[in-house]
Amino acid sequence: MSEKNLKRCQWCGDDPLYVKYHDEEWGRPVFDDETLFEFLILEGFQAGLSWITILRKRENFRRAFDQFDFHKIARYNEDDFNRLMENEGIIRNRLKIRAAVTNAQAFLRVREEFGSFSKYIWGFVDGTPVVNHFKAMEEIPASTPLSDKISKDLKRRGFKFVGSTIVYAHMQATGMVNDHVTGCFVRAESLEHGARRC
């Protein structure tokens, strides 16, 4: 089957950047803290915006936020805040920028307690992706009781911009849940990729 005829989840449309993200990242289990942190921060910046907007600015975000080095971000000061607020390549939202710093600090505390953020977050699903069987995009929820639970716990630990909808988007992006619709060619690949446990 040619690349053009492959069946994908409808949400990625035909934008090359979105298609690449869908095919290579979305729903594939992520266990390393660096990538989990990047998605956590990007999902926070995405609140109220489209994900494609974030994807188009992703490289700008990486450069602006020291490649999402949570150790460095946790130490950001007012000079860093002002530098980021002047950066036209990212989303210049005061609350979201400050939340990124707060979240880096909370992220480090979780790592100290659990050994890694990965062990903490994947512990909510016993280290194995939740596999859903949705046939159409319209069936996929914006949040679930599990994302409600994780959101509540993250907030308790001091994280910001981690409402249930954002958390569920994070779970989808990092493969904690597999929401590729049945028939999507990536579904089987991501299931196979997620066979190992953290």
Side-chain angles (χ1 to χ4, degrees), residues 99-125:
V101 179
T102 298
N103 287 350
Q105 294 164 350
F107 196 88
L108 289 175
R109 289 194 297 271
V110 168
R111 279 169 55 87
E112 188 175 341
E113 180 178 348
F114 291 87
S116 72
F117 184 82
S118 181
K119 284 183 181 177
Y120 160 73
I121 200 75
W122 278 93
F124 286 97
V125 291

Side-chain angles (χ1 to χ4, degrees), residues 14-70:
D14 56 7
D15 184 300
L17 187 61
Y18 234 177
V19 169
K20 180 178 171 63
Y21 172 70
H22 168 272
D23 291 0
E24 299 178 8
E25 292 189 82
W26 194 75
R28 295 179 186 266
V30 173
F31 295 101
D32 68 279
D33 276 8
E34 291 72 22
T35 307
L36 287 169
F37 180 73
E38 176 176 347
F39 274 116
L40 187 68
I41 298 305
L42 290 178
E43 295 290 355
F45 273 97
Q46 187 262 336
L49 303 168
S50 66
W51 184 242
I52 191 62
T53 298
I54 300 300
L55 283 182
R56 287 173 181 151
K57 294 177 179 287
R58 192 176 188 179
E59 290 305 320
N60 296 336
F61 272 106
R62 284 172 171 166
R63 286 190 292 271
F65 282 91
D66 288 298
Q67 303 300 315
F68 291 106
D69 183 329
F70 40 83

Side-chain angles (χ1 to χ4, degrees), residues 41 44-45 47 49 61 65 73 76-87 90-103 160-161:
I41 298 305
F45 273 97
L49 303 168
F61 272 106
F65 282 91
I73 297 171
Y76 277 6
N77 56 29
E78 282 303 303
D79 288 340
D80 293 299
F81 173 77
N82 292 331
R83 167 180 62 82
L84 291 166
M85 282 298 297
E86 293 171 4
N87 190 327
I90 65 170
I91 306 299
R92 294 182 292 176
N93 178 293
R94 291 177 179 277
L95 292 178
K96 291 177 180 180
I97 290 173
R98 293 209 183 276
V101 179
T102 298
N103 287 350
K160 305 293 183 185
F161 282 93

